[in-house]
Amino acid sequence: MKIIPFDEVAAKFPVIFFDSYGVLRNHRGPIPNAIQTVERLMEAGKHVRVLTNNAARSPQAAADRMAEYGLHCIGEDKIITSGATTRHFLEQKVKRGKVAYLGTAASAEYIIGAGLEAIPISAVDIMRLDEIGAVAFLDDEGYDMNVDINLLINILRKCQVPVVVANTDLLYPTTANDVALATGSIARLAEYVLGRKFVKFGKPASQMFQMALDSVAQEFPSVCPRDILMVGDTLHTDILGGNTYGVSTALVLSGNTRPESAETEINASGIIPDFVCKSIGE
Amino acid sequence: MKIIPFDEVAAKFPVIFFDSYGVLRNHRGPIPNAIQTVERLMEAGKHVRVLTNNAARSPQAAADRMAEYGLHCIGEDKIITSGATTRHFLEQKVKRGKVAYLGTAASAEYIIGAGLEAIPISAVDIMRLDEIGAVAFLDDEGYDMNVDINLLINILRKCQVPVVVANTDLLYPTTANDVALATGSIARLAEYVLGRKFVKFGKPASQMFQMALDSVAQEFPSVCPRDILMVGDTLHTDILGGNTYGVSTALVLSGNTRPESAETEINASGIIPDFVCKSIGE
Amino acid sequence: MKIIPFDEVAAKFPVIFFDSYGVLRNHRGPIPNAIQTVERLMEAGKHVRVLTNNAARSPQAAADRMAEYGLHCIGEDKIITSGATTRHFLEQKVKRGKVAYLGTAASAEYIIGAGLEAIPISAVDIMRLDEIGAVAFLDDEGYDMNVDINLLINILRKCQVPVVVANTDLLYPTTANDVALATGSIARLAEYVLGRKFVKFGKPASQMFQMALDSVAQEFPSVCPRDILMVGDTLHTDILGGNTYGVSTALVLSGNTRPESAETEINASGIIPDFVCKSIGE
Amino acid sequence: MKIIPFDEVAAKFPVIFFDSYGVLRNHRGPIPNAIQTVERLMEAGKHVRVLTNNAARSPQAAADRMAEYGLHCIGEDKIITSGATTRHFLEQKVKRGKVAYLGTAASAEYIIGAGLEAIPISAVDIMRLDEIGAVAFLDDEGYDMNVDINLLINILRKCQVPVVVANTDLLYPTTANDVALATGSIARLAEYVLGRKFVKFGKPASQMFQMALDSVAQEFPSVCPRDILMVGDTLHTDILGGNTYGVSTALVLSGNTRPESAETEINASGIIPDFVCKSIGE
């Protein structure tokens, strides 16, 4: 497995898509030299976007968080969240009714932003399920797992509406050594016990790549997948999604995929990045 | 699909294994005529056992519950719980250490009965994981899902010990219309996010059938699978397990499998009972 | 489940995407009144495209076949095959080497059209695997399953290159009552035994919808998913894909999904079309 | 990971179950010192059985093959094949009709031995499917994959009978570097496209362990799982099956599981052997 300096890879592409956690920053703060790298790329005229599997925060809140870490150059308009692709879907497909959700009040903004009424699962009136137009898995916080997951499953057994999952991640890091269940796990559990398939957003699904490309096209109208490098630390989301959408992909070893096991994981999964780099700072 | 009176089916077999919930009783009490049927079979000299996917209660507590419903004829010695097969496994395979568990204090009796020390997941000392000899999923109550599932997942990421699941059921009925997640669902979620396979007890796995056959052999030494009828209301546990173990199987339509969809479910699943009856009382 | 006349549904959308088999035609010829319906829509100025999970034929050959059935109005430029999205991917991502394929010589045109060299699996020199730049599952004919699947599996165990699947369908109808394994099944088998994930084209994946939208945009530049109706006979491809991409969906009961089981299948799968129609001719 | 000399492990158990391929022999002949080890154990009065996932050969033919490799001490009565557990099931559960099979004429002996009529899939009269009492996947040879798998799938779509799989292995080695699809793969493909679950024999399923224990009990009546060591080279069959059945397990590194990746595979799979040895000869 050949490790290439990130700058050498980035030089070939006018458009760079970054994953956030494990690429730009981790639980300790920004990845060493990441801020300088992103600033240098933008000064060189590259079109940069951040694609993050997250519906817990609005793009504005995500940009504020980036700024806290010193990444002032990444404004709200450069951030594509899986929440935003979910909102876009709700706008297009759900014409009426309340959207019952699992998540925080902040995550419900993606429902409200679609012009729909948001109602937490715990507040659903089981006698008036005809009011419900869709169900959304938005975030892993903001509800009581002991009660609300059973409630959700009983609602879905009686209610034939579209179900959307704003984030397919299974786990997220909480410290250097620990993880917690992400929304994707809870949705997967519900799919499994119900024998149903939900509509899923977030990498590796194509919608985020398409929304990011559409965003770049406003400033670089002739952009096509060949121009784009997706940079991520996770094979099953960033790299699989990029490969499927048809953009070039670079795996960085500064997050989920450890240097010592990267080659084994690539071989075992069959998800093959075009490039492998230590981090975007090296 | 031919529906046969249960008495006609039972007449052919000297040994009858019953599932409990949905066959002998449901949330309202005993299935109509079930008590009379079981008493009649036992008076006729049939060997009866109850095989129940449950580690929340000891066989004694399960027998007490049967008695409350009027099924006085089914004593502790006639009840095979998935908890008991789990205990048997812990006895055979885990020689040292504490067994960390998800479940109620009552369910932990199956660990203690194996001569091992039981410790709830929430009490595990993360700095002393070398003390842990096994991890057990016993029951869906007795812990806080918001906290303890993440704790369990982090323990299992760091700890290479056998993991046992006392009950593979995904859901259980709480009222006529509602269900709740059973232990099997939580174990399945952990398997999925960890990419591991746990050792599983409870129907359809063979151990309960083997333990029930061993129990019958003490009073009917020449018993073999050909002598046995497994009666259940669930295709994926009772009927699949019975078919795989090589006993005859009767599906009753008084529980999980509804009369109106039974034929479709049998065709769709490919899990084919030898007989179909309305209930054991008809 | 409300059945709506197709014309009433189609009236609401300026753009209509049709699946081919089971919607426009079946093994006996065109679906009754289908030709008239399509001609009427096109005369009314609707933008029509046919999205077909097929890499066995070029769009030109597919158009010729349509014409044989009397559908002269659907020219090559209106047909999006999964082969074409595969070709697009090979063009974007595979820069060098031969592409080893399972399929007919006709299907290999999609490799050659990407400017790459095509080589049947049976002709691969096992001593020179470094020549292979990608592997493609194109069609279920054109090779000997007894020999070539084992050969393919051994090649993939030794060769770390992108693998593409031009068609995720599992089965296709051969007569009114019989089916045959489609390419998607063979690819799924290889994924399973190798523990790898391949890149897949064809509905329900988004690429065909995107390619069809791009094609419509050349004549109707402001087109967006809200303008589009996807019409299909299969829940897991046409309707799931359409729902995920964010277009409206109409299920027709003239093919894979039978009128008597449609409601059960929709409920069981959780894949909910916006509309249900008997056929496009009714 | 601690590697222990095999003799030291074997000394603790009065009963030893061996897998065959990768443990006693490989494609080049017997594993070095394997013959001497087995002879020494038998001379010491240990009860030895060979448990092999194979329905291509009768136990007699398997013993002849052992003898060719110099393992004269393992007679027919010491060999438990997955074919024999399949035959036992057919005897118990299929009372009438022909058993349609995929496999060689030799494998069909397991059907005939159950007192039933065997008919190759290719000879089934599609107009008289009511004659068919069961369908069996026996071996990966003896039929034409291009034709007979489609035929089998069409038969199973129309025919609601028990389906048995004599061997769940996915792949088997053909040379030091190459593999071929085993029966389990073909059965898995059929399950997947049909959405059905078949009854499966062969490790890791419990029936072979039970049949081997029953065989030992004839000469050592008090035998129980605690007395037994299962020795195998494959985590997902030998070790998972032994762990689930409740016997002790030893992984040898002379076959499927390579010394350099054993620890990773154990961690990744969560299938934890009680002991790890280089080979039974070391």
Side-chain angles (χ1 to χ4, degrees):
Chain A
M1 194 180 62
K2 210 170 114 195
I3 307 279
I4 307 176
F6 179 72
D7 278 349
E8 209 174 282
V9 176
K12 303 176 188 172
F13 298 90
V15 182
I16 320 269
F17 291 173
F18 289 107
D19 178 36
S20 174
Y21 199 95
V23 177
L24 300 177
R25 65 179 190 91
N26 63 21
H27 65 285
R28 280 190 305 254
I31 299 286
N33 285 319
I35 299 174
Q36 296 83 333
T37 298
V38 175
E39 286 175 350
R40 200 167 50 240
L41 293 170
M42 293 178 72
E43 278 158 24
K46 309 258 182 204
H47 305 272
V48 166
R49 292 294 180 279
V50 175
L51 282 69
T52 177
N53 277 5
N54 196 323
R57 262 180 233 118
S58 65
Q60 180 58 55
D64 291 349
R65 185 100 178 227
M66 291 280 178
E68 279 172 38
Y69 285 113
L71 285 151
H72 300 280
C73 53
I74 298 180
E76 176 187 6
D77 60 318
K78 297 202 161 19
I79 298 180
I80 314 293
T81 69
S82 59
T85 53
T86 308
R87 185 189 61 218
H88 186 70
F89 177 87
L90 292 172
E91 250 168 28
Q92 296 279 344
K93 289 279 292 186
V94 180
K95 284 115 194 168
R96 47 157 216 85
K98 300 173 182 179
V99 180
Y101 70 95
L102 275 187
T104 57
S107 67
E109 290 300 316
Y110 285 114
I111 298 171
I112 297 161
L116 295 160
E117 187 181 343
I119 176 170
I121 281 291
S122 58
V124 169
D125 182 348
I126 201 89
M127 305 306 292
R128 302 195 55 184
L129 291 179
D130 55 317
E131 289 181 348
I132 303 300
V135 170
F137 289 79
L138 296 178
D139 197 14
D140 58 291
E141 302 198 335
Y143 62 95
D144 182 352
M145 275 187 75
N146 297 303
V147 176
D148 292 353
I149 295 181
N150 284 338
L151 190 53
L152 173 70
I153 285 169
N154 284 307
I155 290 169
L156 288 177
R157 290 172 77 232
K158 293 163 192 165
C159 199
Q160 195 186 134
V161 293
V163 182
V164 298
V165 182
N167 181 349
T168 50
D169 287 1
L170 297 176
L171 297 170
Y172 66 94
T174 53
T175 68
N177 294 312
D178 288 325
V179 296
L181 291 174
T183 309
S185 290
I186 307 303
R188 189 68 189 63
L189 172 61
E191 280 188 310
Y192 188 74
V193 302
L194 293 165
R196 287 174 61 169
K197 289 275 175 203
F198 306 151
V199 177
K200 285 166 200 149
F201 299 92
K203 298 163 283 178
S206 299
Q207 305 97 339
M208 281 177 76
F209 293 91
Q210 184 61 34
M211 189 176 263
L213 184 142
D214 288 346
S215 160
V216 170
Q218 293 176 3
E219 53 196 45
F220 173 21
S222 72
V223 62
C224 81
R226 197 182 304 112
D227 301 320
I228 301 171
L229 178 70
M230 172 74 214
V231 184
D233 68 323
T234 309
L235 288 170
H236 284 87
T237 54
D238 306 313
I239 307 304
L240 176 61
N243 283 354
T244 303
Y245 190 68
V247 301
S248 295
T249 50
L251 178 72
V252 289
L253 306 178
S254 51
N256 267 334
T257 311
R258 304 294 170 101
E260 61 274 19
S261 59
E263 193 156 10
T264 307
E265 287 183 44
I266 291 169
N267 287 341
S269 67
I271 302 169
I272 304 163
D274 296 296
F275 310 97
V276 181
C277 307
K278 275 196 190 165
S279 84
I280 70 165
E282 290 185 63
Chain B
M1 195 180 61
K2 207 170 116 194
I3 307 278
I4 307 176
F6 179 72
D7 279 348
E8 208 173 286
V9 177
K12 303 175 186 172
F13 297 89
V15 182
I16 320 270
F17 291 172
F18 289 107
D19 178 37
S20 175
Y21 199 96
V23 177
L24 301 176
R25 65 179 190 90
N26 63 23
H27 66 285
R28 280 190 305 253
I31 299 285
N33 285 319
I35 299 175
Q36 295 85 331
T37 297
V38 175
E39 286 175 349
R40 200 165 52 237
L41 293 171
M42 293 179 73
E43 279 160 23
K46 309 258 182 204
H47 304 271
V48 166
R49 292 294 180 279
V50 174
L51 282 69
T52 176
N53 277 5
N54 195 325
R57 262 180 232 117
S58 65
Q60 180 57 57
D64 292 348
R65 185 100 178 229
M66 291 279 179
E68 279 172 39
Y69 285 112
L71 285 151
H72 300 280
C73 53
I74 298 179
E76 176 188 5
D77 60 317
K78 298 204 161 20
I79 298 180
I80 315 292
T81 69
S82 59
T85 53
T86 308
R87 185 189 61 219
H88 186 71
F89 177 87
L90 292 171
E91 249 167 29
Q92 297 277 345
K93 291 278 293 184
V94 180
K95 286 115 195 169
R96 46 157 218 88
K98 301 174 180 177
V99 180
Y101 69 96
L102 275 187
T104 58
S107 67
E109 290 301 315
Y110 286 114
I111 297 170
I112 296 162
L116 295 161
E117 187 181 341
I119 177 172
I121 281 290
S122 56
V124 170
D125 181 347
I126 202 89
M127 304 307 291
R128 303 194 55 184
L129 292 179
D130 55 317
E131 290 182 348
I132 303 299
V135 170
F137 289 78
L138 297 178
D139 196 16
D140 58 291
E141 301 198 336
Y143 61 94
D144 183 353
M145 276 187 75
N146 296 303
V147 175
D148 291 353
I149 295 181
N150 284 338
L151 190 52
L152 173 70
I153 284 169
N154 284 306
I155 289 169
L156 288 177
R157 290 171 77 231
K158 292 163 192 168
C159 198
Q160 194 186 134
V161 293
V163 181
V164 297
V165 182
N167 181 349
T168 51
D169 288 0
L170 297 176
L171 297 170
Y172 66 93
T174 53
T175 69
N177 293 313
D178 287 323
V179 296
L181 290 176
T183 310
S185 289
I186 307 303
R188 187 70 188 62
L189 171 61
E191 280 188 310
Y192 187 75
V193 300
L194 293 164
R196 287 174 62 170
K197 289 275 175 201
F198 306 152
V199 177
K200 285 169 200 147
F201 298 93
K203 298 163 285 179
S206 299
Q207 305 99 339
M208 280 179 76
F209 293 91
Q210 183 61 32
M211 189 176 260
L213 184 143
D214 288 345
S215 162
V216 170
Q218 293 177 2
E219 54 196 45
F220 173 22
S222 71
V223 62
C224 81
R226 197 182 302 111
D227 301 321
I228 300 170
L229 178 70
M230 172 73 215
V231 184
D233 68 323
T234 309
L235 289 170
H236 284 86
T237 55
D238 306 312
I239 307 305
L240 176 61
N243 284 354
T244 303
Y245 190 69
V247 302
S248 294
T249 48
L251 178 72
V252 290
L253 306 179
S254 50
N256 267 332
T257 311
R258 305 293 170 102
E260 61 275 18
S261 60
E263 193 156 10
T264 307
E265 287 184 44
I266 292 169
N267 287 341
S269 67
I271 302 170
I272 303 163
D274 295 297
F275 309 98
V276 181
C277 306
K278 274 196 190 166
S279 83
I280 70 165
E282 291 184 62
Chain C
M1 196 180 61
K2 210 171 113 193
I3 306 278
I4 307 176
F6 180 71
D7 278 349
E8 209 173 284
V9 177
K12 302 175 187 173
F13 297 90
V15 182
I16 321 269
F17 291 173
F18 290 107
D19 178 38
S20 174
Y21 198 96
V23 176
L24 301 177
R25 65 178 191 91
N26 63 22
H27 66 286
R28 279 191 304 253
I31 299 286
N33 284 319
I35 299 174
Q36 295 84 332
T37 299
V38 175
E39 286 176 350
R40 199 166 52 237
L41 293 171
M42 293 177 72
E43 279 160 22
K46 309 257 181 204
H47 305 271
V48 166
R49 293 293 180 279
V50 174
L51 282 69
T52 177
N53 276 5
N54 196 323
R57 261 181 233 116
S58 65
Q60 179 57 56
D64 292 349
R65 186 99 177 230
M66 292 281 177
E68 279 172 38
Y69 284 111
L71 285 152
H72 300 280
C73 53
I74 298 180
E76 175 187 7
D77 60 320
K78 297 202 163 17
I79 298 179
I80 314 293
T81 70
S82 59
T85 53
T86 308
R87 184 190 62 218
H88 185 72
F89 177 87
L90 292 172
E91 248 167 30
Q92 296 278 345
K93 290 279 292 185
V94 181
K95 285 115 195 169
R96 44 156 219 89
K98 300 175 180 177
V99 180
Y101 71 95
L102 276 186
T104 57
S107 67
E109 289 301 316
Y110 285 113
I111 298 171
I112 296 162
L116 295 161
E117 187 181 342
I119 175 171
I121 281 290
S122 57
V124 169
D125 181 348
I126 202 88
M127 304 306 291
R128 303 195 55 184
L129 291 180
D130 56 317
E131 291 183 346
I132 304 300
V135 170
F137 289 79
L138 296 178
D139 196 14
D140 58 291
E141 301 198 336
Y143 61 95
D144 183 353
M145 275 187 75
N146 296 303
V147 176
D148 291 353
I149 294 181
N150 283 338
L151 189 52
L152 173 70
I153 285 168
N154 284 307
I155 290 169
L156 287 177
R157 289 172 77 231
K158 293 163 192 166
C159 197
Q160 196 186 135
V161 294
V163 182
V164 296
V165 183
N167 180 350
T168 51
D169 287 0
L170 297 175
L171 298 170
Y172 65 93
T174 53
T175 68
N177 294 313
D178 288 324
V179 296
L181 291 175
T183 310
S185 289
I186 307 304
R188 188 68 187 64
L189 172 61
E191 280 189 309
Y192 188 74
V193 301
L194 293 165
R196 287 174 61 169
K197 289 275 174 201
F198 306 152
V199 177
K200 286 167 200 148
F201 298 92
K203 298 164 284 179
S206 299
Q207 305 97 338
M208 280 177 76
F209 293 91
Q210 184 61 33
M211 189 176 261
L213 184 142
D214 288 345
S215 161
V216 170
Q218 293 176 2
E219 54 197 44
F220 172 23
S222 72
V223 62
C224 80
R226 197 182 304 112
D227 301 320
I228 300 171
L229 178 70
M230 173 72 215
V231 185
D233 67 325
T234 308
L235 289 170
H236 284 87
T237 54
D238 306 314
I239 307 304
L240 177 61
N243 284 353
T244 304
Y245 190 68
V247 301
S248 296
T249 49
L251 178 72
V252 290
L253 306 178
S254 50
N256 267 332
T257 310
R258 304 294 171 105
E260 61 275 19
S261 59
E263 193 155 11
T264 307
E265 287 183 45
I266 291 169
N267 287 341
S269 66
I271 302 169
I272 303 164
D274 296 296
F275 309 97
V276 181
C277 307
K278 276 197 190 164
S279 84
I280 70 165
E282 291 185 62
Chain D
M1 195 178 61
K2 211 171 111 194
I3 306 279
I4 307 176
F6 180 71
D7 279 348
E8 208 174 284
V9 177
K12 303 175 187 173
F13 298 90
V15 183
I16 320 269
F17 291 173
F18 289 107
D19 178 38
S20 175
Y21 199 95
V23 177
L24 301 177
R25 65 178 189 90
N26 62 22
H27 66 285
R28 281 190 303 253
I31 299 286
N33 285 319
I35 299 175
Q36 296 84 331
T37 298
V38 175
E39 286 175 350
R40 199 166 52 239
L41 293 170
M42 292 179 73
E43 279 158 24
K46 309 259 182 204
H47 305 272
V48 166
R49 293 293 180 279
V50 174
L51 282 69
T52 177
N53 276 5
N54 195 324
R57 263 180 233 117
S58 66
Q60 181 56 57
D64 292 349
R65 185 99 178 228
M66 292 280 177
E68 279 172 38
Y69 285 111
L71 285 151
H72 300 280
C73 54
I74 298 179
E76 176 187 6
D77 60 319
K78 298 203 162 15
I79 298 180
I80 314 294
T81 69
S82 59
T85 53
T86 308
R87 183 189 63 218
H88 186 72
F89 177 88
L90 292 171
E91 249 167 32
Q92 297 278 345
K93 290 279 293 184
V94 180
K95 285 115 195 168
R96 47 157 217 87
K98 301 175 180 177
V99 180
Y101 70 96
L102 275 187
T104 57
S107 68
E109 290 301 315
Y110 286 113
I111 298 170
I112 296 162
L116 295 160
E117 187 180 343
I119 177 171
I121 281 291
S122 57
V124 169
D125 182 347
I126 202 88
M127 304 307 291
R128 303 194 54 184
L129 290 181
D130 56 318
E131 290 182 347
I132 303 299
V135 170
F137 289 79
L138 298 178
D139 196 16
D140 58 290
E141 301 197 336
Y143 61 94
D144 182 353
M145 276 187 74
N146 296 304
V147 176
D148 291 353
I149 295 181
N150 283 338
L151 190 52
L152 173 71
I153 285 169
N154 284 308
I155 289 169
L156 288 177
R157 290 173 77 232
K158 292 164 193 167
C159 197
Q160 194 186 136
V161 293
V163 181
V164 298
V165 182
N167 181 350
T168 50
D169 287 359
L170 297 176
L171 297 170
Y172 65 94
T174 52
T175 69
N177 294 312
D178 287 325
V179 296
L181 291 174
T183 310
S185 289
I186 307 303
R188 188 68 188 63
L189 172 61
E191 280 188 309
Y192 188 76
V193 300
L194 293 165
R196 287 174 62 168
K197 289 274 176 203
F198 306 152
V199 177
K200 285 166 200 150
F201 298 92
K203 299 163 286 178
S206 300
Q207 305 97 339
M208 280 178 76
F209 293 91
Q210 184 60 34
M211 189 175 262
L213 184 142
D214 288 345
S215 161
V216 170
Q218 293 176 3
E219 54 197 45
F220 173 21
S222 72
V223 63
C224 81
R226 197 182 302 112
D227 301 320
I228 300 170
L229 178 70
M230 173 73 216
V231 184
D233 68 324
T234 309
L235 289 170
H236 284 87
T237 55
D238 306 313
I239 306 304
L240 176 61
N243 283 354
T244 303
Y245 190 68
V247 301
S248 294
T249 49
L251 178 72
V252 289
L253 306 179
S254 50
N256 266 332
T257 311
R258 305 293 169 101
E260 61 275 18
S261 60
E263 193 155 9
T264 307
E265 287 183 46
I266 291 169
N267 287 341
S269 67
I271 301 169
I272 304 164
D274 295 296
F275 309 98
V276 181
C277 307
K278 274 195 192 166
S279 83
I280 71 165
E282 291 186 61

